[in-house]
Amino acid sequence: MERTLIIAKPDAVQRGLIGSIISRLERKGLKLIGMKMATLDEARLRTHYAEHTEKPFYAGLEQFMKSSPVVLMAWEGFECVESIRILVGSTNPRQAAAGTIRGDLAIGTGRNLIHASDSKQSGAAEVANFFNDDELFGYDKSEYEHVYEGHERE
Ligand code: IDP
Ligand code: MG
């Protein structure tokens, strides 16, 4: 099972779209294993967005990500990192496919509602960065036999 860190960004909180984001992932059949609200500070953002700190948009991105609380979530599922990136859509919401979260609900690249991990490795690392072990929940999901074949959930 892979893990993905999802951040409902300040625009999702301000626009009342937290529930829509959660619903999309729930409806896919994924398992929510951790969730909390937080205000992200500069140090956390610099670590999280380490690959972007030298880019021209970073200052604006950091300012925006600090502008109001966010909702942090850890999700788990079979090959879920790629599935979630597909559900989330392209970074530029104007180019994101209709039906995706960004394609349906956002316009600006710097206001694209949601962060989602981009690889199995970053998913594991990002979940570990934002959640302590006692904030993550392992539990049986009764619908799993209707979502997965047996070998996919081992
Ligand atoms: P991703 O969120 O789809 O993985 P990344 O390239 O990792 O996209 O960029 C991280 C975040 O930085 C984006 O989600 C977006 O908020 C912001 N960003 C990326 N490129 C631009 C840009 O060209 N202008 C403004 N913001 C950008
Ligand atoms: Mg990224």
Side-chain angles (χ1 to χ4, degrees):
M1 286 287 169
E2 294 180 5
R3 289 178 171 183
T4 283
L5 176 77
I6 291 291
I7 307 177
K9 295 180 177 180
D11 47 347
V13 174
Q14 295 291 341
R15 293 177 58 199
L17 293 173
I18 304 163
S20 301
I21 290 169
I22 294 172
S23 280
R24 292 301 302 278
L25 301 173
E26 284 185 316
R27 282 161 50 207
K28 180 75 170 169
L30 298 164
K31 186 196 280 189
L32 181 63
I33 59 168
M35 180 160 72
K36 60 187 176 181
M37 201 165 201
T39 302
L40 302 180
D41 63 16
E42 185 181 330
R44 260 196 184 283
L45 287 164
R46 290 192 83 82
T47 306
H48 176 64
Y49 282 128
E51 63 180 318
H52 298 308
T53 51
E54 302 306 319
K55 295 186 182 161
F57 62 80
Y58 183 75
L61 174 63
E62 185 187 294
Q63 199 59 37
F64 167 65
M65 290 296 292
K66 292 194 297 197
S67 67
S68 77
V70 299
V71 176
L72 300 161
M73 293 173 242
W75 288 83
E76 192 177 83
F78 176 64
E79 297 182 355
C80 76
V81 171
E82 189 183 1
S83 315
I84 290 176
R85 290 290 297 195
I86 291 168
L87 275 184
V88 166
S90 303
T91 305
N92 177 345
R94 299 184 300 289
Q95 290 166 358
T100 65
I101 293 169
R102 288 168 172 170
D104 284 355
L105 301 174
I107 297 175
T109 302
R111 301 288 184 272
N112 61 10
L113 294 173
I114 177 170
H115 167 81
S117 308
D118 64 4
S119 68
K120 182 176 179 170
Q121 291 71 23
S122 68
E126 290 176 357
V127 167
N129 273 344
F130 282 95
F131 287 89
N132 298 322
D133 283 347
D134 64 359
E135 295 173 320
L136 295 170
F137 299 84
Y139 58 97
D140 290 330
K141 208 153 186 273
S142 61
E143 68 173 20
Y144 259 25
E145 67 179 293
H146 303 290
V147 175
Y148 294 109
E149 292 181 77
H151 69 276
E152 293 171 339
R153 56 177 192 267
E154 272 156 20

PDB file of all heavy atoms in Angstrom, residues 57-72:
ATOM      1  N   PHE A  57       8.643  31.784  -8.461  1.00  0.00           N
ATOM      2  CA  PHE A  57       7.322  31.813  -7.831  1.00  0.00           C
ATOM      3  C   PHE A  57       7.359  31.453  -6.349  1.00  0.00           C
ATOM      4  O   PHE A  57       6.339  31.521  -5.663  1.00  0.00           O
ATOM      5  CB  PHE A  57       6.347  30.882  -8.568  1.00  0.00           C
ATOM      6  CG  PHE A  57       6.734  29.420  -8.572  1.00  0.00           C
ATOM      7  CD1 PHE A  57       6.493  28.597  -7.478  1.00  0.00           C
ATOM      8  CD2 PHE A  57       7.349  28.863  -9.694  1.00  0.00           C
ATOM      9  CE1 PHE A  57       6.851  27.259  -7.491  1.00  0.00           C
ATOM     10  CE2 PHE A  57       7.707  27.517  -9.712  1.00  0.00           C
ATOM     11  CZ  PHE A  57       7.456  26.723  -8.602  1.00  0.00           C
ATOM     12  N   TYR A  58       8.582  31.087  -5.818  1.00  0.00           N
ATOM     13  CA  TYR A  58       8.594  30.554  -4.448  1.00  0.00           C
ATOM     14  C   TYR A  58       8.114  31.552  -3.388  1.00  0.00           C
ATOM     15  O   TYR A  58       7.350  31.198  -2.481  1.00  0.00           O
ATOM     16  CB  TYR A  58       9.969  29.981  -4.049  1.00  0.00           C
ATOM     17  CG  TYR A  58       9.856  29.396  -2.668  1.00  0.00           C
ATOM     18  CD1 TYR A  58       9.212  28.180  -2.468  1.00  0.00           C
ATOM     19  CD2 TYR A  58      10.286  30.099  -1.538  1.00  0.00           C
ATOM     20  CE1 TYR A  58       9.005  27.674  -1.198  1.00  0.00           C
ATOM     21  CE2 TYR A  58      10.084  29.596  -0.268  1.00  0.00           C
ATOM     22  CZ  TYR A  58       9.440  28.381  -0.105  1.00  0.00           C
ATOM     23  OH  TYR A  58       9.223  27.886   1.153  1.00  0.00           O
ATOM     24  N   ALA A  59       8.557  32.801  -3.500  1.00  0.00           N
ATOM     25  CA  ALA A  59       8.168  33.792  -2.479  1.00  0.00           C
ATOM     26  C   ALA A  59       6.647  33.912  -2.399  1.00  0.00           C
ATOM     27  O   ALA A  59       6.061  33.917  -1.306  1.00  0.00           O
ATOM     28  CB  ALA A  59       8.796  35.146  -2.786  1.00  0.00           C
ATOM     29  N   GLY A  60       6.005  33.971  -3.563  1.00  0.00           N
ATOM     30  CA  GLY A  60       4.540  34.059  -3.602  1.00  0.00           C
ATOM     31  C   GLY A  60       3.886  32.794  -3.061  1.00  0.00           C
ATOM     32  O   GLY A  60       2.873  32.848  -2.356  1.00  0.00           O
ATOM     33  N   LEU A  61       4.485  31.669  -3.405  1.00  0.00           N
ATOM     34  CA  LEU A  61       3.942  30.380  -2.931  1.00  0.00           C
ATOM     35  C   LEU A  61       4.008  30.309  -1.405  1.00  0.00           C
ATOM     36  O   LEU A  61       3.029  29.942  -0.740  1.00  0.00           O
ATOM     37  CB  LEU A  61       4.749  29.233  -3.562  1.00  0.00           C
ATOM     38  CG  LEU A  61       4.433  27.816  -3.098  1.00  0.00           C
ATOM     39  CD1 LEU A  61       2.999  27.424  -3.433  1.00  0.00           C
ATOM     40  CD2 LEU A  61       5.412  26.812  -3.730  1.00  0.00           C
ATOM     41  N   GLU A  62       5.161  30.702  -0.842  1.00  0.00           N
ATOM     42  CA  GLU A  62       5.303  30.648   0.614  1.00  0.00           C
ATOM     43  C   GLU A  62       4.318  31.605   1.290  1.00  0.00           C
ATOM     44  O   GLU A  62       3.643  31.230   2.268  1.00  0.00           O
ATOM     45  CB  GLU A  62       6.739  31.007   1.015  1.00  0.00           C
ATOM     46  CG  GLU A  62       6.963  30.835   2.501  1.00  0.00           C
ATOM     47  CD  GLU A  62       8.324  31.358   2.935  1.00  0.00           C
ATOM     48  OE1 GLU A  62       9.340  30.781   2.513  1.00  0.00           O
ATOM     49  OE2 GLU A  62       8.346  32.340   3.687  1.00  0.00           O
ATOM     50  N   GLN A  63       4.234  32.821   0.767  1.00  0.00           N
ATOM     51  CA  GLN A  63       3.299  33.803   1.323  1.00  0.00           C
ATOM     52  C   GLN A  63       1.875  33.261   1.323  1.00  0.00           C
ATOM     53  O   GLN A  63       1.142  33.343   2.316  1.00  0.00           O
ATOM     54  CB  GLN A  63       3.381  35.085   0.468  1.00  0.00           C
ATOM     55  CG  GLN A  63       2.831  36.321   1.146  1.00  0.00           C
ATOM     56  CD  GLN A  63       3.570  36.616   2.442  1.00  0.00           C
ATOM     57  OE1 GLN A  63       4.774  36.414   2.528  1.00  0.00           O
ATOM     58  NE2 GLN A  63       2.833  37.054   3.445  1.00  0.00           N
ATOM     59  N   PHE A  64       1.494  32.683   0.208  1.00  0.00           N
ATOM     60  CA  PHE A  64       0.139  32.130   0.067  1.00  0.00           C
ATOM     61  C   PHE A  64      -0.093  30.968   1.031  1.00  0.00           C
ATOM     62  O   PHE A  64      -1.122  30.902   1.711  1.00  0.00           O
ATOM     63  CB  PHE A  64      -0.077  31.679  -1.384  1.00  0.00           C
ATOM     64  CG  PHE A  64      -1.290  30.840  -1.573  1.00  0.00           C
ATOM     65  CD1 PHE A  64      -2.554  31.373  -1.356  1.00  0.00           C
ATOM     66  CD2 PHE A  64      -1.186  29.512  -1.945  1.00  0.00           C
ATOM     67  CE1 PHE A  64      -3.693  30.599  -1.510  1.00  0.00           C
ATOM     68  CE2 PHE A  64      -2.307  28.723  -2.100  1.00  0.00           C
ATOM     69  CZ  PHE A  64      -3.574  29.264  -1.887  1.00  0.00           C
ATOM     70  N   MET A  65       0.882  30.053   1.110  1.00  0.00           N
ATOM     71  CA  MET A  65       0.693  28.849   1.927  1.00  0.00           C
ATOM     72  C   MET A  65       0.635  29.156   3.417  1.00  0.00           C
ATOM     73  O   MET A  65       0.145  28.355   4.205  1.00  0.00           O
ATOM     74  CB  MET A  65       1.802  27.833   1.628  1.00  0.00           C
ATOM     75  CG  MET A  65       1.720  27.200   0.252  1.00  0.00           C
ATOM     76  SD  MET A  65       0.237  26.187  -0.025  1.00  0.00           S
ATOM     77  CE  MET A  65       0.542  24.816   1.112  1.00  0.00           C
ATOM     78  N   LYS A  66       1.171  30.358   3.803  1.00  0.00           N
ATOM     79  CA  LYS A  66       1.115  30.783   5.210  1.00  0.00           C
ATOM     80  C   LYS A  66      -0.137  31.605   5.510  1.00  0.00           C
ATOM     81  O   LYS A  66      -0.362  31.968   6.654  1.00  0.00           O
ATOM     82  CB  LYS A  66       2.329  31.684   5.529  1.00  0.00           C
ATOM     83  CG  LYS A  66       3.659  30.986   5.523  1.00  0.00           C
ATOM     84  CD  LYS A  66       4.753  31.838   6.166  1.00  0.00           C
ATOM     85  CE  LYS A  66       5.022  33.118   5.428  1.00  0.00           C
ATOM     86  NZ  LYS A  66       6.308  33.752   5.777  1.00  0.00           N
ATOM     87  N   SER A  67      -0.917  31.922   4.471  1.00  0.00           N
ATOM     88  CA  SER A  67      -1.942  32.960   4.612  1.00  0.00           C
ATOM     89  C   SER A  67      -3.155  32.530   5.423  1.00  0.00           C
ATOM     90  O   SER A  67      -3.898  33.378   5.912  1.00  0.00           O
ATOM     91  CB  SER A  67      -2.382  33.458   3.230  1.00  0.00           C
ATOM     92  OG  SER A  67      -3.055  32.427   2.525  1.00  0.00           O
ATOM     93  N   SER A  68      -3.395  31.253   5.534  1.00  0.00           N
ATOM     94  CA  SER A  68      -4.454  30.778   6.430  1.00  0.00           C
ATOM     95  C   SER A  68      -4.163  29.309   6.712  1.00  0.00           C
ATOM     96  O   SER A  68      -3.275  28.725   6.099  1.00  0.00           O
ATOM     97  CB  SER A  68      -5.851  30.986   5.820  1.00  0.00           C
ATOM     98  OG  SER A  68      -6.132  30.026   4.851  1.00  0.00           O
ATOM     99  N   PRO A  69      -4.891  28.711   7.649  1.00  0.00           N
ATOM    100  CA  PRO A  69      -4.615  27.301   7.946  1.00  0.00           C
ATOM    101  C   PRO A  69      -4.861  26.410   6.735  1.00  0.00           C
ATOM    102  O   PRO A  69      -5.588  26.789   5.812  1.00  0.00           O
ATOM    103  CB  PRO A  69      -5.618  26.973   9.064  1.00  0.00           C
ATOM    104  CG  PRO A  69      -6.061  28.272   9.597  1.00  0.00           C
ATOM    105  CD  PRO A  69      -5.945  29.267   8.493  1.00  0.00           C
ATOM    106  N   VAL A  70      -4.240  25.267   6.774  1.00  0.00           N
ATOM    107  CA  VAL A  70      -4.446  24.244   5.749  1.00  0.00           C
ATOM    108  C   VAL A  70      -4.958  22.981   6.437  1.00  0.00           C
ATOM    109  O   VAL A  70      -4.906  22.871   7.665  1.00  0.00           O
ATOM    110  CB  VAL A  70      -3.125  23.926   5.004  1.00  0.00           C
ATOM    111  CG1 VAL A  70      -2.588  25.164   4.303  1.00  0.00           C
ATOM    112  CG2 VAL A  70      -2.081  23.340   5.954  1.00  0.00           C
ATOM    113  N   VAL A  71      -5.455  22.049   5.642  1.00  0.00           N
ATOM    114  CA  VAL A  71      -5.833  20.738   6.182  1.00  0.00           C
ATOM    115  C   VAL A  71      -4.878  19.702   5.603  1.00  0.00           C
ATOM    116  O   VAL A  71      -4.750  19.587   4.380  1.00  0.00           O
ATOM    117  CB  VAL A  71      -7.297  20.384   5.876  1.00  0.00           C
ATOM    118  CG1 VAL A  71      -7.630  18.980   6.373  1.00  0.00           C
ATOM    119  CG2 VAL A  71      -8.231  21.405   6.518  1.00  0.00           C
ATOM    120  N   LEU A  72      -4.188  19.023   6.493  1.00  0.00           N
ATOM    121  CA  LEU A  72      -3.218  17.994   6.112  1.00  0.00           C
ATOM    122  C   LEU A  72      -3.881  16.631   6.214  1.00  0.00           C
ATOM    123  O   LEU A  72      -4.562  16.343   7.218  1.00  0.00           O
ATOM    124  CB  LEU A  72      -2.033  18.022   7.075  1.00  0.00           C
ATOM    125  CG  LEU A  72      -1.251  19.329   7.136  1.00  0.00           C
ATOM    126  CD1 LEU A  72      -0.422  19.392   8.413  1.00  0.00           C
ATOM    127  CD2 LEU A  72      -0.370  19.470   5.917  1.00  0.00           C
TER     128      LEU A  72
END
